[in-house]
Amino acid sequence: ISQDSETIKVQPPSWRRDLEREIDLIEEVARIHGYEQIPEDVGVRMAASHRRDEDRRDDVVRHVLTAGGYDEALTPSLVSEQWCEAFSPWSTAAPIRAATPLLRGADCLRKSLIPSLLGARRENEALANTHVDLFETANIYLPRPDDLPVQWWMLGITSGGDFLSVKGVVESVAAELNSEIELSAEATDQALLK
C-alpha cells in the first residue's frame, strides 16, 4: 500500500480475484466498516414514472382476454411465404424478406397474426390440448413500393368457441378500451375464411 494526500494504491491478496475495479475495493471497505455506518444524508432524486399509452392499452387487452379464458401467444414476426400469403387482408404486395431467416423457410415479415395463431393452435391440438383459445398483440408489416413498410399494431384471436362467445370477448375488449366505440362486422372474400 502507498498513499499520498490524493491517492491510495492497494494490492489485493492473490486469493481475492473478485477485487478488480475501484468500486470493488470501495464496496469491500463499506462492508468491513459496516453499511449501517454510512450516513444517508444524500437525497436521491425521484421522478414519477410514466407508462406509455401503448403499454396501458396492452395491459387492458391482456386483462380482458385472460379473464375471458384466453391464453396469450407469442409468435415470431418472421414466417414462411406460404403463411404470409395465406391470410393478407391489408396488402397484396409481396412480403418483406429478411436476409437471415429465423427458422428454415421463415424469412418473411408477417402481414397478419392469424396464420401464426392458427399454427400455434394446431400445435396445441396435436399435443391433445383440446381447449385452445389464444390471442396475440403484436406488429404486422405491410410493404409499400419505394417506401418504408407500414407497421401496424394488431390484436389477433383464435377460439374454438362459437361466434357469440368470440363476439362477446371482442365487444368486451372494445368497451374497455373505448366505451363509445361502435363495432360492425363485414363479409370477406379471404380464402382462409371460406
Side-chain angles (χ1 to χ4, degrees):
I1 296 179
S2 66
Q3 70 181 49
D4 59 31
S5 63
E6 294 184 18
T7 62
I8 298 176
K9 290 186 179 183
V10 297
Q11 178 69 39
S14 61
W15 49 272
R16 289 300 304 267
R17 295 176 190 240
D18 60 321
L19 297 176
E20 296 177 350
R21 304 169 298 160
E22 178 183 353
I23 192 65
D24 297 333
L25 181 62
I26 293 169
E27 185 177 304
E28 189 66 15
V29 170
R31 186 185 67 77
I32 292 169
H33 180 67
Y35 292 118
E36 68 281 353
Q37 302 297 324
I38 301 171
E40 296 182 28
D41 59 350
V42 178
V44 178
R45 291 173 45 191
M46 301 291 282
S49 65
H50 174 72
R51 296 188 64 219
R52 298 178 319 148
D53 290 340
E54 294 86 0
D55 295 331
R56 289 197 305 273
R57 174 204 61 207
D58 290 352
D59 285 348
V60 168
V61 169
R62 197 172 283 119
H63 174 74
V64 172
L65 288 169
T66 55
Y70 285 74
D71 293 311
E72 184 171 14
L74 300 171
T75 62
S77 293
L78 289 173
V79 297
S80 68
E81 185 173 8
Q82 180 184 4
W83 278 22
C84 212
E85 299 301 332
F87 183 73
S88 181
W90 299 283
S91 174
T92 56
I96 301 166
R97 293 194 178 277
T100 54
L102 182 66
L103 301 168
R104 187 178 357 185
D107 63 346
C108 297
L109 283 171
R110 63 182 166 198
K111 299 191 291 181
S112 173
L113 300 179
I114 299 303
S116 299
L117 282 171
L118 291 175
R121 182 180 180 84
R122 181 182 60 209
E123 288 177 26
N124 275 275
E125 288 173 344
L127 296 170
N129 184 0
T130 55
H131 181 74
V132 187
D133 290 342
L134 300 174
F135 76 94
E136 182 173 17
T137 59
N139 288 321
I140 63 167
Y141 306 90
L142 304 177
R144 291 189 296 180
D146 303 324
D147 203 354
L148 293 174
V150 177
Q151 181 175 314
W152 282 351
W153 176 87
M154 288 282 175
L155 165 63
I157 298 174
T158 179
S159 174
D162 62 16
F163 172 77
L164 292 178
S165 65
V166 174
K167 179 179 179 267
V169 169
V170 170
E171 288 173 343
S172 296
V173 169
E176 283 295 318
L177 291 174
N178 180 351
S179 60
E180 297 176 9
I181 197 166
E182 291 186 26
L183 298 177
S184 64
E186 297 176 12
T188 182
D189 59 354
Q190 291 288 322
L192 185 68
L193 300 177
K194 288 185 178 182

